[in-house]
PDB file of all heavy atoms in Angstrom:
ATOM      1  N   ARG A  75      91.451  23.510 144.321  1.00  0.00           N
ATOM      2  CA  ARG A  75      92.876  23.731 144.575  1.00  0.00           C
ATOM      3  C   ARG A  75      93.012  24.825 145.632  1.00  0.00           C
ATOM      4  O   ARG A  75      92.455  25.914 145.464  1.00  0.00           O
ATOM      5  CB  ARG A  75      93.575  24.124 143.273  1.00  0.00           C
ATOM      6  CG  ARG A  75      95.054  24.332 143.470  1.00  0.00           C
ATOM      7  CD  ARG A  75      95.805  24.336 142.158  1.00  0.00           C
ATOM      8  NE  ARG A  75      95.820  23.019 141.527  1.00  0.00           N
ATOM      9  CZ  ARG A  75      96.680  22.643 140.586  1.00  0.00           C
ATOM     10  NH1 ARG A  75      97.583  23.489 140.150  1.00  0.00           N
ATOM     11  NH2 ARG A  75      96.634  21.430 140.064  1.00  0.00           N
ATOM     12  N   ASP A 147      91.840  18.423 145.335  1.00  0.00           N
ATOM     13  CA  ASP A 147      92.977  18.691 144.433  1.00  0.00           C
ATOM     14  C   ASP A 147      94.111  19.168 145.331  1.00  0.00           C
ATOM     15  O   ASP A 147      94.026  19.023 146.567  1.00  0.00           O
ATOM     16  CB  ASP A 147      92.600  19.727 143.359  1.00  0.00           C
ATOM     17  CG  ASP A 147      93.686  19.858 142.288  1.00  0.00           C
ATOM     18  OD1 ASP A 147      93.877  18.906 141.516  1.00  0.00           O
ATOM     19  OD2 ASP A 147      94.366  20.904 142.226  1.00  0.00           O
ATOM     20  N   GLY A 149      96.220  20.680 147.973  1.00  0.00           N
ATOM     21  CA  GLY A 149      95.900  21.452 149.173  1.00  0.00           C
ATOM     22  C   GLY A 149      94.578  21.084 149.824  1.00  0.00           C
ATOM     23  O   GLY A 149      94.258  21.592 150.898  1.00  0.00           O
ATOM     24  N   ARG A 189      88.616   5.747 146.710  1.00  0.00           N
ATOM     25  CA  ARG A 189      88.703   7.028 146.015  1.00  0.00           C
ATOM     26  C   ARG A 189      90.011   7.759 146.350  1.00  0.00           C
ATOM     27  O   ARG A 189      90.629   8.352 145.478  1.00  0.00           O
ATOM     28  CB  ARG A 189      87.499   7.937 146.365  1.00  0.00           C
ATOM     29  CG  ARG A 189      87.613   9.386 145.860  1.00  0.00           C
ATOM     30  CD  ARG A 189      87.747   9.462 144.343  1.00  0.00           C
ATOM     31  NE  ARG A 189      87.977  10.805 143.811  1.00  0.00           N
ATOM     32  CZ  ARG A 189      89.182  11.366 143.638  1.00  0.00           C
ATOM     33  NH1 ARG A 189      90.285  10.718 143.970  1.00  0.00           N
ATOM     34  NH2 ARG A 189      89.281  12.566 143.107  1.00  0.00           N
ATOM     35  N   THR A 193      93.537   8.069 142.104  1.00  0.00           N
ATOM     36  CA  THR A 193      94.349   8.756 141.095  1.00  0.00           C
ATOM     37  C   THR A 193      95.714   8.083 140.983  1.00  0.00           C
ATOM     38  O   THR A 193      96.171   7.739 139.883  1.00  0.00           O
ATOM     39  CB  THR A 193      94.481  10.254 141.431  1.00  0.00           C
ATOM     40  OG1 THR A 193      93.168  10.788 141.593  1.00  0.00           O
ATOM     41  CG2 THR A 193      95.193  11.006 140.330  1.00  0.00           C
ATOM     42  N   PHE A 222     104.921  14.129 146.731  1.00  0.00           N
ATOM     43  CA  PHE A 222     104.647  13.009 147.643  1.00  0.00           C
ATOM     44  C   PHE A 222     103.390  13.308 148.440  1.00  0.00           C
ATOM     45  O   PHE A 222     103.295  13.075 149.630  1.00  0.00           O
ATOM     46  CB  PHE A 222     105.859  12.755 148.541  1.00  0.00           C
ATOM     47  CG  PHE A 222     105.933  11.346 149.052  1.00  0.00           C
ATOM     48  CD1 PHE A 222     106.054  10.275 148.169  1.00  0.00           C
ATOM     49  CD2 PHE A 222     105.876  11.072 150.419  1.00  0.00           C
ATOM     50  CE1 PHE A 222     106.123   8.959 148.631  1.00  0.00           C
ATOM     51  CE2 PHE A 222     105.941   9.766 150.898  1.00  0.00           C
ATOM     52  CZ  PHE A 222     106.070   8.716 150.008  1.00  0.00           C
ATOM     53  N   GLY A 223     102.403  13.899 147.741  1.00  0.00           N
ATOM     54  CA  GLY A 223     101.102  14.145 148.358  1.00  0.00           C
ATOM     55  C   GLY A 223     100.200  12.965 148.045  1.00  0.00           C
ATOM     56  O   GLY A 223     100.666  11.825 147.913  1.00  0.00           O
ATOM     57  N   ASN A 224      98.925  13.241 147.859  1.00  0.00           N
ATOM     58  CA  ASN A 224      97.979  12.162 147.590  1.00  0.00           C
ATOM     59  C   ASN A 224      98.417  11.317 146.395  1.00  0.00           C
ATOM     60  O   ASN A 224      98.602  10.109 146.492  1.00  0.00           O
ATOM     61  CB  ASN A 224      96.581  12.772 147.376  1.00  0.00           C
ATOM     62  CG  ASN A 224      95.552  11.722 146.989  1.00  0.00           C
ATOM     63  OD1 ASN A 224      95.711  11.041 145.995  1.00  0.00           O
ATOM     64  ND2 ASN A 224      94.514  11.577 147.783  1.00  0.00           N
ATOM     65  N   VAL A 225      98.627  11.956 145.244  1.00  0.00           N
ATOM     66  CA  VAL A 225      98.888  11.203 144.007  1.00  0.00           C
ATOM     67  C   VAL A 225     100.271  10.547 144.032  1.00  0.00           C
ATOM     68  O   VAL A 225     100.407   9.338 143.776  1.00  0.00           O
ATOM     69  CB  VAL A 225      98.747  12.135 142.772  1.00  0.00           C
ATOM     70  CG1 VAL A 225      98.977  11.349 141.485  1.00  0.00           C
ATOM     71  CG2 VAL A 225      97.373  12.797 142.755  1.00  0.00           C
ATOM     72  N   ASP A 245     109.584  16.536 146.971  1.00  0.00           N
ATOM     73  CA  ASP A 245     108.416  17.391 147.194  1.00  0.00           C
ATOM     74  C   ASP A 245     108.885  18.844 147.177  1.00  0.00           C
ATOM     75  O   ASP A 245     110.019  19.123 146.793  1.00  0.00           O
ATOM     76  CB  ASP A 245     107.659  16.999 148.474  1.00  0.00           C
ATOM     77  CG  ASP A 245     108.502  17.136 149.734  1.00  0.00           C
ATOM     78  OD1 ASP A 245     109.476  17.914 149.725  1.00  0.00           O
ATOM     79  OD2 ASP A 245     108.169  16.473 150.734  1.00  0.00           O
ATOM     80  N   ILE A 246     108.041  19.749 147.626  1.00  0.00           N
ATOM     81  CA  ILE A 246     108.366  21.176 147.548  1.00  0.00           C
ATOM     82  C   ILE A 246     109.594  21.531 148.398  1.00  0.00           C
ATOM     83  O   ILE A 246     110.315  22.478 148.092  1.00  0.00           O
ATOM     84  CB  ILE A 246     107.126  22.030 147.937  1.00  0.00           C
ATOM     85  CG1 ILE A 246     107.327  23.513 147.680  1.00  0.00           C
ATOM     86  CG2 ILE A 246     106.726  21.817 149.374  1.00  0.00           C
ATOM     87  CD1 ILE A 246     106.916  23.972 146.349  1.00  0.00           C
ATOM     88  N   ALA A 296     104.186  14.254 139.724  1.00  0.00           N
ATOM     89  CA  ALA A 296     102.890  14.172 140.417  1.00  0.00           C
ATOM     90  C   ALA A 296     102.787  15.330 141.409  1.00  0.00           C
ATOM     91  O   ALA A 296     102.281  15.168 142.524  1.00  0.00           O
ATOM     92  CB  ALA A 296     102.752  12.827 141.133  1.00  0.00           C
ATOM     93  N   ALA A 297     103.314  16.502 141.015  1.00  0.00           N
ATOM     94  CA  ALA A 297     103.291  17.642 141.934  1.00  0.00           C
ATOM     95  C   ALA A 297     102.429  18.764 141.351  1.00  0.00           C
ATOM     96  O   ALA A 297     101.259  18.916 141.695  1.00  0.00           O
ATOM     97  CB  ALA A 297     104.708  18.119 142.194  1.00  0.00           C
ATOM     98  N   GLY A 318     101.188  12.256 136.414  1.00  0.00           N
ATOM     99  CA  GLY A 318     100.250  12.191 137.535  1.00  0.00           C
ATOM    100  C   GLY A 318      99.652  13.559 137.808  1.00  0.00           C
ATOM    101  O   GLY A 318      98.472  13.704 138.124  1.00  0.00           O
ATOM    102  N   ALA A 319     100.477  14.602 137.662  1.00  0.00           N
ATOM    103  CA  ALA A 319      99.998  15.976 137.874  1.00  0.00           C
ATOM    104  C   ALA A 319      99.227  16.457 136.646  1.00  0.00           C
ATOM    105  O   ALA A 319      99.289  15.853 135.583  1.00  0.00           O
ATOM    106  CB  ALA A 319     101.191  16.899 138.111  1.00  0.00           C
ATOM    107  N   ASN A 320      98.520  17.553 136.808  1.00  0.00           N
ATOM    108  CA  ASN A 320      97.863  18.194 135.665  1.00  0.00           C
ATOM    109  C   ASN A 320      98.841  19.179 135.039  1.00  0.00           C
ATOM    110  O   ASN A 320      99.393  20.033 135.730  1.00  0.00           O
ATOM    111  CB  ASN A 320      96.601  18.926 136.133  1.00  0.00           C
ATOM    112  CG  ASN A 320      95.484  17.956 136.453  1.00  0.00           C
ATOM    113  OD1 ASN A 320      95.182  17.061 135.663  1.00  0.00           O
ATOM    114  ND2 ASN A 320      94.872  18.098 137.622  1.00  0.00           N
ATOM    115  N   ASN A 345      96.035  10.437 134.876  1.00  0.00           N
ATOM    116  CA  ASN A 345      95.503  10.690 136.226  1.00  0.00           C
ATOM    117  C   ASN A 345      93.968  10.677 136.264  1.00  0.00           C
ATOM    118  O   ASN A 345      93.359  11.196 137.190  1.00  0.00           O
ATOM    119  CB  ASN A 345      96.102  11.981 136.822  1.00  0.00           C
ATOM    120  CG  ASN A 345      95.631  13.255 136.147  1.00  0.00           C
ATOM    121  OD1 ASN A 345      94.487  13.340 135.682  1.00  0.00           O
ATOM    122  ND2 ASN A 345      96.477  14.266 136.102  1.00  0.00           N
TER     123      ASN A 345
HETATM  124  P1  LIG B   1      98.865  17.310 147.289  1.00  0.00           P
HETATM  125  O1  LIG B   1      98.650  18.683 147.765  1.00  0.00           O
HETATM  126  O2  LIG B   1      98.361  16.156 148.092  1.00  0.00           O
HETATM  127  O3  LIG B   1     100.437  17.053 147.069  1.00  0.00           O
HETATM  128  C1  LIG B   1     101.226  17.861 146.248  1.00  0.00           C
HETATM  129  C2  LIG B   1     102.687  17.401 146.379  1.00  0.00           C
HETATM  130  O4  LIG B   1     103.478  18.109 145.424  1.00  0.00           O
HETATM  131  C3  LIG B   1     103.296  17.709 147.744  1.00  0.00           C
HETATM  132  O5  LIG B   1     104.206  16.673 148.091  1.00  0.00           O
HETATM  133  C4  LIG B   1     104.058  19.014 147.488  1.00  0.00           C
HETATM  134  O6  LIG B   1     105.131  19.226 148.399  1.00  0.00           O
HETATM  135  C5  LIG B   1     104.559  18.762 146.076  1.00  0.00           C
HETATM  136  N1  LIG B   1     104.887  19.976 145.330  1.00  0.00           N
HETATM  137  C6  LIG B   1     104.116  21.065 145.134  1.00  0.00           C
HETATM  138  N2  LIG B   1     104.772  21.979 144.391  1.00  0.00           N
HETATM  139  C7  LIG B   1     105.967  21.422 144.098  1.00  0.00           C
HETATM  140  C8  LIG B   1     107.100  21.866 143.352  1.00  0.00           C
HETATM  141  N3  LIG B   1     107.121  23.059 142.765  1.00  0.00           N
HETATM  142  N4  LIG B   1     108.171  21.035 143.266  1.00  0.00           N
HETATM  143  C9  LIG B   1     108.183  19.811 143.862  1.00  0.00           C
HETATM  144  N5  LIG B   1     107.133  19.343 144.575  1.00  0.00           N
HETATM  145  C10 LIG B   1     106.058  20.154 144.684  1.00  0.00           C
HETATM  146  O7  LIG B   1      98.273  17.273 145.806  1.00  0.00           O
HETATM  147  P2  LIG B   1      97.741  16.005 144.985  1.00  0.00           P
HETATM  148  O8  LIG B   1      96.289  15.863 145.218  1.00  0.00           O
HETATM  149  O9  LIG B   1      98.659  14.856 145.184  1.00  0.00           O
HETATM  150  O10 LIG B   1      97.903  16.579 143.492  1.00  0.00           O
HETATM  151  C11 LIG B   1      99.136  16.542 142.825  1.00  0.00           C
HETATM  152  C12 LIG B   1      98.892  16.783 141.341  1.00  0.00           C
HETATM  153  O11 LIG B   1      97.994  15.781 140.831  1.00  0.00           O
HETATM  154  C13 LIG B   1      98.243  18.140 141.007  1.00  0.00           C
HETATM  155  O12 LIG B   1      98.750  18.581 139.769  1.00  0.00           O
HETATM  156  C14 LIG B   1      96.774  17.782 140.871  1.00  0.00           C
HETATM  157  O13 LIG B   1      96.075  18.692 140.048  1.00  0.00           O
HETATM  158  C15 LIG B   1      96.874  16.406 140.214  1.00  0.00           C
HETATM  159  N6  LIG B   1      95.685  15.574 140.380  1.00  0.00           N
HETATM  160  C16 LIG B   1      95.218  15.266 141.618  1.00  0.00           C
HETATM  161  C17 LIG B   1      94.104  14.444 141.716  1.00  0.00           C
HETATM  162  C18 LIG B   1      93.569  13.980 143.059  1.00  0.00           C
HETATM  163  O14 LIG B   1      92.679  13.122 143.080  1.00  0.00           O
HETATM  164  N7  LIG B   1      94.083  14.459 144.181  1.00  0.00           N
HETATM  165  C19 LIG B   1      93.448  13.973 140.567  1.00  0.00           C
HETATM  166  C20 LIG B   1      93.980  14.306 139.314  1.00  0.00           C
HETATM  167  C21 LIG B   1      95.100  15.100 139.242  1.00  0.00           C
END
Side-chain angles (χ1 to χ4, degrees):
R75 181 164 291 199
D147 189 69
R189 171 60 185 89
T193 306
F222 205 61
N224 176 302
V225 182
D245 61 23
I246 189 90
N320 286 311
N345 70 33

